[in-house]
Structures are given as C-alpha cells and as structure tokens.
PDB file of all heavy atoms in Angstrom:
ATOM      1  N   VAL F 135     -17.664 -20.758  19.384  1.00 90.00           N
ATOM      2  CA  VAL F 135     -18.414 -20.433  20.730  1.00 90.00           C
ATOM      3  C   VAL F 135     -18.271 -21.712  21.564  1.00 90.00           C
ATOM      4  O   VAL F 135     -18.043 -21.724  22.722  1.00 90.00           O
ATOM      5  CB  VAL F 135     -19.742 -20.036  20.528  1.00 90.00           C
ATOM      6  CG1 VAL F 135     -20.512 -19.932  21.757  1.00 90.00           C
ATOM      7  CG2 VAL F 135     -19.776 -18.551  19.816  1.00 90.00           C
ATOM      8  N   ILE F 136     -18.644 -22.882  20.949  1.00 91.00           N
ATOM      9  CA  ILE F 136     -18.653 -24.199  21.624  1.00 91.00           C
ATOM     10  C   ILE F 136     -17.328 -24.457  22.184  1.00 91.00           C
ATOM     11  O   ILE F 136     -17.129 -24.902  23.385  1.00 91.00           O
ATOM     12  CB  ILE F 136     -19.169 -25.301  20.768  1.00 91.00           C
ATOM     13  CG1 ILE F 136     -20.718 -25.072  20.502  1.00 91.00           C
ATOM     14  CG2 ILE F 136     -18.987 -26.707  21.434  1.00 91.00           C
ATOM     15  CD1 ILE F 136     -21.355 -26.056  19.596  1.00 91.00           C
ATOM     16  N   PHE F 137     -16.237 -24.435  21.370  1.00 90.00           N
ATOM     17  CA  PHE F 137     -14.976 -24.688  21.818  1.00 90.00           C
ATOM     18  C   PHE F 137     -14.422 -23.690  22.883  1.00 90.00           C
ATOM     19  O   PHE F 137     -13.595 -24.101  23.717  1.00 90.00           O
ATOM     20  CB  PHE F 137     -13.920 -24.754  20.551  1.00 90.00           C
ATOM     21  CG  PHE F 137     -14.196 -26.088  19.783  1.00 90.00           C
ATOM     22  CD1 PHE F 137     -14.421 -26.044  18.377  1.00 90.00           C
ATOM     23  CD2 PHE F 137     -14.009 -27.317  20.449  1.00 90.00           C
ATOM     24  CE1 PHE F 137     -14.569 -27.143  17.651  1.00 90.00           C
ATOM     25  CE2 PHE F 137     -14.339 -28.524  19.677  1.00 90.00           C
ATOM     26  CZ  PHE F 137     -14.563 -28.435  18.296  1.00 90.00           C
ATOM     27  N   THR F 138     -14.776 -22.425  22.726  1.00 92.00           N
ATOM     28  CA  THR F 138     -14.491 -21.430  23.753  1.00 92.00           C
ATOM     29  C   THR F 138     -15.018 -21.837  25.111  1.00 92.00           C
ATOM     30  O   THR F 138     -14.285 -21.754  26.144  1.00 92.00           O
ATOM     31  CB  THR F 138     -14.819 -20.053  23.294  1.00 92.00           C
ATOM     32  OG1 THR F 138     -14.313 -19.815  22.035  1.00 92.00           O
ATOM     33  CG2 THR F 138     -14.364 -19.080  24.239  1.00 92.00           C
ATOM     34  N   ILE F 139     -16.253 -22.085  25.145  1.00 91.00           N
ATOM     35  CA  ILE F 139     -17.020 -22.554  26.321  1.00 91.00           C
ATOM     36  C   ILE F 139     -16.358 -23.787  26.909  1.00 91.00           C
ATOM     37  O   ILE F 139     -16.005 -23.911  28.209  1.00 91.00           O
ATOM     38  CB  ILE F 139     -18.487 -22.676  26.190  1.00 91.00           C
ATOM     39  CG1 ILE F 139     -19.090 -21.424  25.767  1.00 91.00           C
ATOM     40  CG2 ILE F 139     -19.135 -23.413  27.338  1.00 91.00           C
ATOM     41  CD1 ILE F 139     -20.429 -21.484  25.359  1.00 91.00           C
ATOM     42  N   MET F 140     -15.959 -24.807  26.072  1.00 92.00           N
ATOM     43  CA  MET F 140     -15.396 -26.063  26.545  1.00 92.00           C
ATOM     44  C   MET F 140     -13.952 -25.734  27.071  1.00 92.00           C
ATOM     45  O   MET F 140     -13.619 -26.362  28.124  1.00 92.00           O
ATOM     46  CB  MET F 140     -15.362 -27.149  25.406  1.00 92.00           C
ATOM     47  CG  MET F 140     -16.623 -27.660  25.142  1.00 92.00           C
ATOM     48  SD  MET F 140     -16.626 -28.987  23.787  1.00 92.00           S
ATOM     49  CE  MET F 140     -15.155 -29.876  24.036  1.00 92.00           C
ATOM     50  N   GLY F 141     -13.306 -24.829  26.414  1.00 91.00           N
ATOM     51  CA  GLY F 141     -11.935 -24.520  26.928  1.00 91.00           C
ATOM     52  C   GLY F 141     -11.923 -23.864  28.300  1.00 91.00           C
ATOM     53  O   GLY F 141     -11.116 -24.126  29.052  1.00 91.00           O
ATOM     54  N   ALA F 142     -12.975 -22.941  28.439  1.00 91.00           N
ATOM     55  CA  ALA F 142     -12.997 -22.289  29.772  1.00 91.00           C
ATOM     56  C   ALA F 142     -13.385 -23.354  30.843  1.00 91.00           C
ATOM     57  O   ALA F 142     -12.779 -23.297  31.953  1.00 91.00           O
ATOM     58  CB  ALA F 142     -14.022 -21.201  29.657  1.00 91.00           C
ATOM     59  N   PHE F 143     -14.356 -24.163  30.473  1.00 91.00           N
ATOM     60  CA  PHE F 143     -14.731 -25.178  31.470  1.00 91.00           C
ATOM     61  C   PHE F 143     -13.621 -26.067  31.824  1.00 91.00           C
ATOM     62  O   PHE F 143     -13.371 -26.337  33.056  1.00 91.00           O
ATOM     63  CB  PHE F 143     -15.922 -25.962  30.976  1.00 91.00           C
ATOM     64  CG  PHE F 143     -16.285 -27.142  31.736  1.00 91.00           C
ATOM     65  CD1 PHE F 143     -17.062 -26.935  32.947  1.00 91.00           C
ATOM     66  CD2 PHE F 143     -16.018 -28.455  31.425  1.00 91.00           C
ATOM     67  CE1 PHE F 143     -17.376 -28.040  33.842  1.00 91.00           C
ATOM     68  CE2 PHE F 143     -16.372 -29.574  32.292  1.00 91.00           C
ATOM     69  CZ  PHE F 143     -16.950 -29.266  33.278  1.00 91.00           C
ATOM     70  N   LEU F 144     -12.898 -26.588  30.818  1.00 90.00           N
ATOM     71  CA  LEU F 144     -11.722 -27.493  31.130  1.00 90.00           C
ATOM     72  C   LEU F 144     -10.623 -26.793  31.857  1.00 90.00           C
ATOM     73  O   LEU F 144      -9.994 -27.352  32.761  1.00 90.00           O
ATOM     74  CB  LEU F 144     -11.270 -28.091  29.854  1.00 90.00           C
ATOM     75  CG  LEU F 144     -12.084 -29.140  29.055  1.00 90.00           C
ATOM     76  CD1 LEU F 144     -11.507 -29.465  27.765  1.00 90.00           C
ATOM     77  CD2 LEU F 144     -12.287 -30.346  30.013  1.00 90.00           C
ATOM     78  N   SER F 145     -10.342 -25.472  31.589  1.00 91.00           N
ATOM     79  CA  SER F 145      -9.352 -24.707  32.314  1.00 91.00           C
ATOM     80  C   SER F 145      -9.762 -24.650  33.812  1.00 91.00           C
ATOM     81  O   SER F 145      -8.891 -24.826  34.636  1.00 91.00           O
ATOM     82  CB  SER F 145      -9.225 -23.388  31.802  1.00 91.00           C
ATOM     83  OG  SER F 145      -8.454 -22.604  32.482  1.00 91.00           O
ATOM     84  N   VAL F 146     -11.073 -24.242  34.088  1.00 90.00           N
ATOM     85  CA  VAL F 146     -11.521 -24.277  35.500  1.00 90.00           C
ATOM     86  C   VAL F 146     -11.452 -25.636  36.144  1.00 90.00           C
ATOM     87  O   VAL F 146     -10.948 -25.744  37.382  1.00 90.00           O
ATOM     88  CB  VAL F 146     -12.802 -23.612  35.561  1.00 90.00           C
ATOM     89  CG1 VAL F 146     -13.508 -23.679  36.938  1.00 90.00           C
ATOM     90  CG2 VAL F 146     -12.915 -22.188  35.083  1.00 90.00           C
ATOM     91  N   ALA F 147     -11.870 -26.580  35.400  1.00 90.00           N
ATOM     92  CA  ALA F 147     -11.938 -27.924  36.036  1.00 90.00           C
ATOM     93  C   ALA F 147     -10.517 -28.462  36.338  1.00 90.00           C
ATOM     94  O   ALA F 147     -10.186 -29.008  37.391  1.00 90.00           O
ATOM     95  CB  ALA F 147     -12.611 -28.946  35.078  1.00 90.00           C
ATOM     96  N   LEU F 148      -9.578 -28.306  35.373  1.00 89.00           N
ATOM     97  CA  LEU F 148      -8.218 -28.745  35.607  1.00 89.00           C
ATOM     98  C   LEU F 148      -7.565 -27.853  36.737  1.00 89.00           C
ATOM     99  O   LEU F 148      -6.797 -28.425  37.459  1.00 89.00           O
ATOM    100  CB  LEU F 148      -7.405 -28.661  34.342  1.00 89.00           C
ATOM    101  CG  LEU F 148      -7.777 -29.712  33.215  1.00 89.00           C
ATOM    102  CD1 LEU F 148      -6.885 -29.445  31.975  1.00 89.00           C
ATOM    103  CD2 LEU F 148      -7.460 -30.995  33.791  1.00 89.00           C
ATOM    104  N   THR F 149      -7.785 -26.543  36.790  1.00 89.00           N
ATOM    105  CA  THR F 149      -7.211 -25.786  37.895  1.00 89.00           C
ATOM    106  C   THR F 149      -7.685 -26.345  39.296  1.00 89.00           C
ATOM    107  O   THR F 149      -7.023 -26.482  40.302  1.00 89.00           O
ATOM    108  CB  THR F 149      -7.616 -24.367  37.789  1.00 89.00           C
ATOM    109  OG1 THR F 149      -7.259 -23.937  36.502  1.00 89.00           O
ATOM    110  CG2 THR F 149      -7.196 -23.532  38.956  1.00 89.00           C
ATOM    111  N   VAL F 150      -9.028 -26.677  39.394  1.00 88.00           N
ATOM    112  CA  VAL F 150      -9.516 -27.339  40.710  1.00 88.00           C
ATOM    113  C   VAL F 150      -8.856 -28.545  40.946  1.00 88.00           C
ATOM    114  O   VAL F 150      -8.475 -28.857  42.157  1.00 88.00           O
ATOM    115  CB  VAL F 150     -11.020 -27.350  40.608  1.00 88.00           C
ATOM    116  CG1 VAL F 150     -11.599 -28.270  41.764  1.00 88.00           C
ATOM    117  CG2 VAL F 150     -11.809 -25.993  40.552  1.00 88.00           C
ATOM    118  N   ILE F 151      -8.785 -29.371  39.906  1.00 88.00           N
ATOM    119  CA  ILE F 151      -8.076 -30.670  40.175  1.00 88.00           C
ATOM    120  C   ILE F 151      -6.465 -30.522  40.554  1.00 88.00           C
ATOM    121  O   ILE F 151      -6.253 -31.186  41.560  1.00 88.00           O
ATOM    122  CB  ILE F 151      -8.217 -31.540  38.903  1.00 88.00           C
ATOM    123  CG1 ILE F 151      -9.665 -32.075  38.675  1.00 88.00           C
ATOM    124  CG2 ILE F 151      -7.239 -32.786  38.949  1.00 88.00           C
ATOM    125  CD1 ILE F 151      -9.969 -32.644  37.306  1.00 88.00           C
ATOM    126  N   PHE F 152      -5.907 -29.669  39.922  1.00 87.00           N
ATOM    127  CA  PHE F 152      -4.527 -29.453  40.346  1.00 87.00           C
ATOM    128  C   PHE F 152      -4.392 -28.796  41.787  1.00 87.00           C
ATOM    129  O   PHE F 152      -3.471 -29.264  42.487  1.00 87.00           O
ATOM    130  CB  PHE F 152      -3.865 -28.583  39.267  1.00 87.00           C
ATOM    131  CG  PHE F 152      -3.484 -29.225  37.954  1.00 87.00           C
ATOM    132  CD1 PHE F 152      -3.688 -28.579  36.862  1.00 87.00           C
ATOM    133  CD2 PHE F 152      -3.266 -30.582  37.934  1.00 87.00           C
ATOM    134  CE1 PHE F 152      -3.380 -29.159  35.585  1.00 87.00           C
ATOM    135  CE2 PHE F 152      -3.081 -31.299  36.662  1.00 87.00           C
ATOM    136  CZ  PHE F 152      -3.157 -30.581  35.545  1.00 87.00           C
ATOM    137  N   VAL F 153      -5.206 -27.937  42.172  1.00 87.00           N
ATOM    138  CA  VAL F 153      -5.144 -27.347  43.376  1.00 87.00           C
ATOM    139  C   VAL F 153      -5.465 -28.470  44.470  1.00 87.00           C
ATOM    140  O   VAL F 153      -4.715 -28.573  45.466  1.00 87.00           O
ATOM    141  CB  VAL F 153      -6.089 -26.201  43.556  1.00 87.00           C
ATOM    142  CG1 VAL F 153      -6.359 -25.812  44.972  1.00 87.00           C
ATOM    143  CG2 VAL F 153      -5.654 -25.074  42.719  1.00 87.00           C
ATOM    144  N   GLN F 154      -6.408 -29.264  44.275  1.00 87.00           N
ATOM    145  CA  GLN F 154      -6.764 -30.483  45.172  1.00 87.00           C
ATOM    146  C   GLN F 154      -5.594 -31.329  45.256  1.00 87.00           C
ATOM    147  O   GLN F 154      -5.135 -31.849  46.325  1.00 87.00           O
ATOM    148  CB  GLN F 154      -7.935 -31.139  44.705  1.00 87.00           C
ATOM    149  CG  GLN F 154      -9.167 -30.380  45.039  1.00 87.00           C
ATOM    150  CD  GLN F 154     -10.438 -31.184  44.546  1.00 87.00           C
ATOM    151  OE1 GLN F 154     -10.338 -32.166  43.945  1.00 87.00           O
ATOM    152  NE2 GLN F 154     -11.661 -30.587  44.853  1.00 87.00           N
ATOM    153  N   ASN F 155      -4.849 -31.723  44.131  1.00 86.00           N
ATOM    154  CA  ASN F 155      -3.795 -32.614  44.132  1.00 86.00           C
ATOM    155  C   ASN F 155      -2.579 -31.909  44.823  1.00 86.00           C
ATOM    156  O   ASN F 155      -1.902 -32.703  45.507  1.00 86.00           O
ATOM    157  CB  ASN F 155      -3.356 -32.965  42.789  1.00 86.00           C
ATOM    158  CG  ASN F 155      -4.268 -33.876  42.091  1.00 86.00           C
ATOM    159  OD1 ASN F 155      -5.097 -34.558  42.694  1.00 86.00           O
ATOM    160  ND2 ASN F 155      -4.178 -34.132  40.737  1.00 86.00           N
ATOM    161  N   GLY F 156      -2.490 -30.667  44.669  1.00 84.00           N
ATOM    162  CA  GLY F 156      -1.387 -29.991  45.362  1.00 84.00           C
ATOM    163  C   GLY F 156      -1.545 -29.991  46.892  1.00 84.00           C
ATOM    164  O   GLY F 156      -0.607 -30.280  47.647  1.00 84.00           O
ATOM    165  N   ARG F 157      -2.813 -29.863  47.324  1.00 86.00           N
ATOM    166  CA  ARG F 157      -3.115 -29.931  48.769  1.00 86.00           C
ATOM    167  C   ARG F 157      -2.867 -31.436  49.354  1.00 86.00           C
ATOM    168  O   ARG F 157      -2.197 -31.647  50.345  1.00 86.00           O
ATOM    169  CB  ARG F 157      -4.451 -29.705  49.072  1.00 86.00           C
ATOM    170  CG  ARG F 157      -4.867 -28.210  49.038  1.00 86.00           C
ATOM    171  CD  ARG F 157      -6.319 -27.862  49.255  1.00 86.00           C
ATOM    172  NE  ARG F 157      -6.714 -26.614  48.845  1.00 86.00           N
ATOM    173  CZ  ARG F 157      -7.846 -26.290  48.379  1.00 86.00           C
ATOM    174  NH1 ARG F 157      -8.830 -27.212  48.354  1.00 86.00           N
ATOM    175  NH2 ARG F 157      -8.187 -25.126  47.915  1.00 86.00           N
ATOM    176  N   GLN F 158      -3.207 -32.394  48.541  1.00 87.00           N
ATOM    177  CA  GLN F 158      -3.073 -33.707  48.903  1.00 87.00           C
ATOM    178  C   GLN F 158      -1.505 -34.110  48.950  1.00 87.00           C
ATOM    179  O   GLN F 158      -1.121 -34.837  49.861  1.00 87.00           O
ATOM    180  CB  GLN F 158      -3.816 -34.837  47.920  1.00 87.00           C
ATOM    181  CG  GLN F 158      -5.231 -34.685  47.964  1.00 87.00           C
ATOM    182  CD  GLN F 158      -5.773 -35.111  49.365  1.00 87.00           C
ATOM    183  OE1 GLN F 158      -5.210 -35.990  49.983  1.00 87.00           O
ATOM    184  NE2 GLN F 158      -6.770 -34.354  49.818  1.00 87.00           N
ATOM    185  N   ILE F 159      -0.821 -33.668  47.970  1.00 86.00           N
ATOM    186  CA  ILE F 159       0.634 -33.898  47.915  1.00 86.00           C
ATOM    187  C   ILE F 159       1.356 -33.284  49.170  1.00 86.00           C
ATOM    188  O   ILE F 159       2.163 -33.788  49.724  1.00 86.00           O
ATOM    189  CB  ILE F 159       1.285 -33.313  46.682  1.00 86.00           C
ATOM    190  CG1 ILE F 159       0.784 -34.376  45.486  1.00 86.00           C
ATOM    191  CG2 ILE F 159       2.890 -33.382  46.744  1.00 86.00           C
ATOM    192  CD1 ILE F 159       1.156 -33.835  44.060  1.00 86.00           C
ATOM    193  N   LYS F 160       0.919 -31.971  49.506  1.00 88.00           N
ATOM    194  CA  LYS F 160       1.517 -31.297  50.617  1.00 88.00           C
ATOM    195  C   LYS F 160       1.138 -32.087  51.937  1.00 88.00           C
ATOM    196  O   LYS F 160       1.980 -32.220  52.837  1.00 88.00           O
ATOM    197  CB  LYS F 160       0.943 -29.832  50.663  1.00 88.00           C
ATOM    198  CG  LYS F 160       1.522 -29.201  51.786  1.00 88.00           C
ATOM    199  CD  LYS F 160       1.001 -27.633  51.833  1.00 88.00           C
ATOM    200  CE  LYS F 160       1.524 -26.793  52.927  1.00 88.00           C
ATOM    201  NZ  LYS F 160       1.103 -25.424  52.977  1.00 88.00           N
ATOM    202  N   GLN F 161      -0.074 -32.547  52.085  1.00 89.00           N
ATOM    203  CA  GLN F 161      -0.456 -33.292  53.303  1.00 89.00           C
ATOM    204  C   GLN F 161       0.222 -34.611  53.376  1.00 89.00           C
ATOM    205  O   GLN F 161       0.697 -35.012  54.465  1.00 89.00           O
ATOM    206  CB  GLN F 161      -1.985 -33.570  53.132  1.00 89.00           C
ATOM    207  CG  GLN F 161      -2.463 -34.331  54.361  1.00 89.00           C
ATOM    208  CD  GLN F 161      -4.014 -34.569  54.430  1.00 89.00           C
ATOM    209  OE1 GLN F 161      -4.631 -34.175  53.332  1.00 89.00           O
ATOM    210  NE2 GLN F 161      -4.515 -35.135  55.316  1.00 89.00           N
ATOM    211  N   LEU F 162       0.455 -35.189  52.201  1.00 88.00           N
ATOM    212  CA  LEU F 162       1.211 -36.473  52.089  1.00 88.00           C
ATOM    213  C   LEU F 162       2.546 -36.208  52.544  1.00 88.00           C
ATOM    214  O   LEU F 162       3.255 -37.050  53.250  1.00 88.00           O
ATOM    215  CB  LEU F 162       1.149 -37.113  50.739  1.00 88.00           C
ATOM    216  CG  LEU F 162       1.797 -38.526  50.521  1.00 88.00           C
ATOM    217  CD1 LEU F 162       1.164 -39.530  51.406  1.00 88.00           C
ATOM    218  CD2 LEU F 162       1.864 -38.856  49.021  1.00 88.00           C
ATOM    219  N   GLY F 163       3.168 -35.122  52.193  1.00 88.00           N
ATOM    220  CA  GLY F 163       4.586 -34.838  52.523  1.00 88.00           C
ATOM    221  C   GLY F 163       4.757 -34.681  53.994  1.00 88.00           C
ATOM    222  O   GLY F 163       5.716 -35.119  54.644  1.00 88.00           O
ATOM    223  N   THR F 164       3.757 -33.953  54.625  1.00 90.00           N
ATOM    224  CA  THR F 164       3.809 -33.732  56.077  1.00 90.00           C
ATOM    225  C   THR F 164       3.606 -35.148  56.836  1.00 90.00           C
ATOM    226  O   THR F 164       4.257 -35.413  57.895  1.00 90.00           O
ATOM    227  CB  THR F 164       2.799 -32.759  56.623  1.00 90.00           C
ATOM    228  OG1 THR F 164       1.559 -33.128  56.230  1.00 90.00           O
ATOM    229  CG2 THR F 164       3.135 -31.329  56.049  1.00 90.00           C
ATOM    230  N   GLU F 165       2.851 -35.943  56.307  1.00 91.00           N
ATOM    231  CA  GLU F 165       2.548 -37.277  56.949  1.00 91.00           C
ATOM    232  C   GLU F 165       3.813 -38.235  56.789  1.00 91.00           C
ATOM    233  O   GLU F 165       4.130 -38.923  57.826  1.00 91.00           O
ATOM    234  CB  GLU F 165       1.348 -37.989  56.311  1.00 91.00           C
ATOM    235  CG  GLU F 165      -0.004 -37.260  56.647  1.00 91.00           C
ATOM    236  CD  GLU F 165      -1.295 -37.875  55.982  1.00 91.00           C
ATOM    237  OE1 GLU F 165      -1.009 -38.868  55.245  1.00 91.00           O
ATOM    238  OE2 GLU F 165      -2.291 -37.466  56.315  1.00 91.00           O
ATOM    239  N   MET F 166       4.439 -38.198  55.711  1.00 91.00           N
ATOM    240  CA  MET F 166       5.712 -38.897  55.509  1.00 91.00           C
ATOM    241  C   MET F 166       6.738 -38.349  56.440  1.00 91.00           C
ATOM    242  O   MET F 166       7.530 -39.237  56.861  1.00 91.00           O
ATOM    243  CB  MET F 166       6.165 -38.817  53.979  1.00 91.00           C
ATOM    244  CG  MET F 166       5.156 -39.600  53.011  1.00 91.00           C
ATOM    245  SD  MET F 166       5.058 -41.293  53.332  1.00 91.00           S
ATOM    246  CE  MET F 166       6.617 -41.764  52.806  1.00 91.00           C
TER     247      MET F 166
END
C-alpha cells in the first residue's frame, strides 16, 4: 500500500515537472 501510494505520488509529481519543462523548452525555443 505504501509503495503504491508513493508510486502514484511520484507519477503525478514527475508528470507535472515534465509538463512544466516542456512549456519552458517551448518558450525557450521561440525566444531563441
């Protein structure tokens, strides 16, 4: 149960981080 909860939390956290990084990379591309 603990590992399942940690896996779900990490999955959501990493998804948010990757989405933010994708936006930043896209913005950086337009600025360049």
Side-chain angles (χ1 to χ4, degrees):
V135 170
I136 290 173
F137 285 126
T138 303
I139 292 171
M140 284 178 46
F143 173 74
L144 289 176
S145 175
V146 171
L148 288 176
T149 301
V150 169
I151 289 172
F152 289 146
V153 167
Q154 287 177 351
N155 284 345
R157 288 182 196 146
Q158 292 297 321
I159 290 172
K160 185 177 179 181
Q161 182 181 4
L162 182 64
T164 57
E165 289 175 359
M166 291 298 287

